[in-house]
Amino acid sequence: MATKQDVKVLGWSASPFVARVRIALNLKGIEYEFLNEDLGRKSDLLLKSNPVYKKVPVLIHGEKPVCESLLIVQYIDEVWAASGLPILPADAYDRAVARFWAAYIDDKLPNQAPVLLGEADEPTKAEATQHMFAALQQLEEVFEKCSEGKSFFGGNTIGYVDITLGSYLGWMKAMEKIAGIKLLDEEKIPQLVKWAERFCSSDAVKEVIPQVDQFVEFSKVLQAAFKAAASPSN
Amino acid sequence: MAIENEVKLIGIWSSGFVTRVMIALNLKGVEYEFLPEDLSSKSELLLKSNPVYKQVPVLIHGGKSVCESLVIVQYIDQVWASSGPCILPADPYDRASVRFWAAYVHDKLTSQIRVLILKEDEKSKAEAEEQLFTALLLLEEAFVKCSKGKSFFGGDSIDLVDITLGSCINWLKAMEIITGTKFLDKTKTPRLAEWAERFCSAEAAKEVLPEAEKLVEYIKFLRAGNRAAAVSSSK
C-alpha cells in the first residue's frame, strides 16, 4: 500500500489541472503529500521532475514523475485500479467517448481564462463569454446523453469527464465575479448547474477547489501565469 | 463481414492525423473500408459522425463513430488487443510516458508544421523553425531513452509515439524540399534520422504515408487557398 511519502503532488491550489490530480487521488483513497509551488520561483524538484514543460501538476510516485493532468488521472486510475471505483469506463467505446469530451473541454474552456480572469476590453470579454456559453451549451447536451438520468457524466459516480470539467468550476465562479457575467445559469444550463452543485459538494472534491474569494485574490498571480504560459520561450 | 464488425475510416490521403489511424489498423491487421472525403464539400456521413468538429479522421466501427486521431488509435489498441503488437505498453508508468511523448509531438510538432505551411512572414517561419528544431532535439533524447537501443520508440515494435511522430515525417520532408532547410538532419539528430528511415519502410506504414513530393504540391495548393481567403476577407 502506498504510504503518504510515496505519493507527492507538486501543485498550486488555484490550478484546475492540479485539482484534477487531487480529486482522482481522493476518489481512490490514496494519501499524498501536497507540495505547494511558488509559480514566481519554480522549485528544483519541479524543474527536475518536469523538465519539458516546467509546469504543475506533477505526480511523483515512488520517485518517478508523471506529468500532464489528464495523463496523471489515467495513471492513477490504472495503478490503483483495485481501489475505489473506476474513473474511466471499461468499455472501449465508452472510454473513447470520455476521452473525446475531455479533449473538447480542454480545447474550448481554458483559452477563455486569460480574458475572463484578467483585464480585457468589453468586446474581447463578450467574445470569450460567447465561446464559454457555446461550449457549456454543448456540454449540457452531452451531460443529458452520458449521464442517462444519473448524477454524473460517469453515471452514479464521478468519472473522467466530471473531473475534467468539474476542475474548472472554481475558475468559472471566479470568472463570474471578475468579469461580471453569469456562466452557471440555471435557465440556460439547468442540468449542468445541478451537476456542478453535486460535484462540488462530493467528498472527493469539497476540500480541493478553493472558494471564489481566494481565486479573486489569486487573479493577479493567474494573470502573470497566463502571460508566462503564452510566451514562446517556455 | 457482419455489420457489427464493419470498420470504415473517413479521411483524406494527405492528413497526418488520418495516417496515424491507418497505421494503427495495419499494425492490428484490421481490414477496413477507406472513405475519401472532400473537405470543401463535406459528406452527410462526416457531418453526422463528427458533428462537433466536422473533421477527419473518423473511425466508424459497427456503426459507432470515434473521433480525434489519438483517441481512435487508443480505441483500436484496446478493441484489437489480442491482434498485432501493443500500441501502448502494459505498465501504467510506461503508458503515461508514451502518452506524454505522443501528446508532446501532437502539441509541438504539428502546430509548428502548420505555421510553416501557412504563414508567409519571415518572423513566424523563423520562430516555427526554431521551435521545431528544439522539439526534434528533445525527441532525439527521448528516442534514446525509450528505444533502449532497439528500432522504435516502442522497442522492437511501433508504438503510439512512433505513430504520432511518424505521421509527421513526410510533411517534414515536404517542407525540406520547399524551404531547403534540413529538419531530419543526420548531423543534429542522427538516431531520429535513422528511425525515420526505418519507420517509412515498415510494413504498417509504407503504403499509407503520403509521398513527400505529392505533399509539396498539396502545400502549394493550401497556400494559394490561404492567400485567396486572406484577400477576400480583407475586402
Side-chain angles (χ1 to χ4, degrees):
Chain A
M1 195 190 300
T3 63
K4 204 169 178 181
Q5 287 71 41
D6 285 346
V7 185
K8 299 181 173 52
V9 176
L10 297 184
W12 180 55
S13 52
S15 160
F17 309 104
V18 174
R20 290 171 182 178
V21 174
R22 300 176 78 180
I23 293 166
L25 288 166
N26 288 349
L27 283 169
K28 295 292 189 179
I30 302 300
E31 287 197 359
Y32 62 94
E33 189 185 351
F34 183 64
L35 299 172
N36 204 30
E37 276 290 320
D38 174 357
L39 288 194
R41 207 176 142 262
K42 296 175 183 185
S43 70
D44 285 340
L45 183 59
L46 176 60
L47 298 176
K48 192 184 98 173
S49 310
N50 191 356
V52 175
Y53 294 114
K54 307 176 179 55
K55 282 185 186 174
V56 294
V58 180
L59 179 83
I60 304 180
H61 180 205
E63 309 208 13
K64 286 189 189 174
V66 186
C67 308
E68 294 297 283
S69 64
L70 291 183
L71 301 192
I72 301 172
V73 170
Q74 291 181 75
Y75 173 83
I76 290 167
D77 196 30
E78 287 166 17
V79 167
W80 289 291
S83 310
L85 287 159
I87 293 173
L88 270 157
D91 174 72
Y93 180 72
D94 294 340
R95 190 174 280 215
V97 171
R99 286 193 173 122
F100 176 87
W101 289 115
Y104 173 86
I105 289 161
D106 271 356
D107 186 32
K108 300 288 179 189
L109 262 61
N111 292 342
Q112 319 311 333
V115 171
L116 295 174
L117 286 173
E119 294 150 352
D121 58 39
E122 288 310 312
T124 313
K125 274 198 218 172
E127 200 185 323
T129 308
Q130 251 331 100
H131 287 307
M132 284 293 291
F133 272 140
L136 289 170
Q137 208 65 56
Q138 169 74 81
L139 290 161
E140 171 86 359
E141 286 175 37
V142 175
F143 179 78
E144 181 143 0
K145 207 168 160 200
C146 287
S147 65
E148 291 172 342
K150 295 174 186 168
S151 302
F152 299 103
F153 285 88
N156 286 321
T157 52
I158 287 174
Y160 193 65
V161 179
D162 298 283
I163 294 174
T164 309
L165 181 59
S167 58
Y168 284 119
L169 286 169
W171 272 14
M172 282 196 251
K173 291 176 189 173
M175 284 174 190
E176 290 185 324
K177 198 157 182 181
I178 293 171
I181 54 177
K182 193 148 175 70
L183 290 171
L184 295 163
D185 188 336
E186 312 79 60
E187 282 171 34
K188 295 188 179 158
I189 48 170
Q191 298 203 65
L192 273 192
V193 170
K194 292 199 192 93
W195 162 84
E197 281 163 33
R198 281 193 295 272
F199 183 84
C200 290
S201 54
S202 72
D203 284 335
V205 178
K206 60 189 181 198
E207 306 282 315
V208 174
I209 298 184
Q211 295 304 311
V212 180
D213 298 324
Q214 284 179 282
F215 279 106
V216 177
E217 249 181 70
F218 279 135
S219 70
K220 296 257 181 290
V221 183
L222 276 174
Q223 282 167 43
F226 291 140
K227 283 200 184 108
S231 99
S233 59
N234 251 29
Chain B
M1 200 188 288
I3 300 279
E4 61 267 18
N5 292 329
E6 266 180 9
V7 182
K8 298 179 197 210
L9 173 62
I10 310 177
I12 56 175
W13 68 273
S14 54
S15 160
F17 304 115
V18 174
T19 308
R20 292 170 185 177
V21 178
M22 293 199 274
I23 293 169
L25 288 166
N26 288 349
L27 280 170
K28 295 294 189 177
V30 177
E31 286 188 9
Y32 62 97
E33 187 187 353
F34 182 68
L35 301 172
E37 184 66 36
D38 175 1
L39 291 181
S40 63
S41 173
K42 293 178 182 180
S43 67
E44 282 301 313
L45 184 62
L46 176 61
L47 298 176
K48 193 183 96 173
S49 312
N50 191 355
V52 175
Y53 292 113
K54 308 175 178 52
Q55 277 295 0
V56 294
V58 180
L59 186 82
I60 306 180
H61 181 208
K64 289 190 192 176
S65 54
V66 185
C67 309
E68 292 298 286
S69 64
L70 295 183
V71 175
I72 300 172
V73 172
Q74 293 186 80
Y75 172 82
I76 290 167
D77 195 38
Q78 193 181 345
V79 170
W80 288 283
S82 50
S83 313
C86 294
I87 295 174
L88 275 134
D91 174 73
Y93 184 76
D94 295 339
R95 286 164 82 84
S97 173
V98 167
R99 285 180 180 133
F100 176 88
W101 287 112
Y104 178 82
V105 170
H106 190 74
D107 287 337
K108 296 288 180 188
L109 252 76
T110 45
S111 50
Q112 301 313 328
I113 291 173
R114 193 192 305 268
V115 169
L116 278 181
I117 291 168
L118 293 177
K119 295 276 181 192
E120 308 266 15
D121 68 288
E122 289 310 315
K123 186 162 178 268
S124 298
K125 292 200 295 199
E127 266 174 30
E129 274 191 23
E130 202 190 310
Q131 300 237 13
L132 255 180
F133 279 123
T134 305
L136 288 168
L137 281 170
L138 206 59
L139 287 161
E140 170 86 359
E141 282 177 39
F143 178 76
V144 172
K145 213 170 153 198
C146 296
S147 64
K148 298 183 173 98
K150 294 182 180 171
S151 304
F152 299 106
F153 282 89
D156 287 322
S157 60
I158 286 172
D159 77 359
L160 187 68
V161 184
D162 294 289
I163 291 174
T164 313
L165 184 56
S167 61
C168 297
I169 295 171
N170 283 359
W171 281 94
L172 287 172
K173 284 185 185 167
M175 288 315 302
E176 285 176 355
I177 295 170
I178 292 175
T179 63
T181 308
K182 196 108 179 87
F183 291 108
L184 284 165
D185 188 338
K186 284 194 167 89
T187 61
K188 293 183 185 166
T189 54
R191 305 268 127 70
L192 268 194
E194 284 162 10
W195 162 85
E197 277 170 39
R198 275 195 298 273
F199 185 86
C200 290
S201 47
E203 277 305 312
K206 62 186 185 196
E207 305 288 318
V208 300
L209 287 173
E211 288 168 31
E213 292 75 19
K214 282 195 183 159
L215 286 176
V216 169
E217 291 310 307
Y218 185 64
I219 288 167
K220 289 180 185 167
F221 163 76
L222 284 175
R223 282 178 167 177
N226 215 44
R227 276 180 219 130
V231 166
S232 65
S233 69
S234 65
K235 280 191 182 139

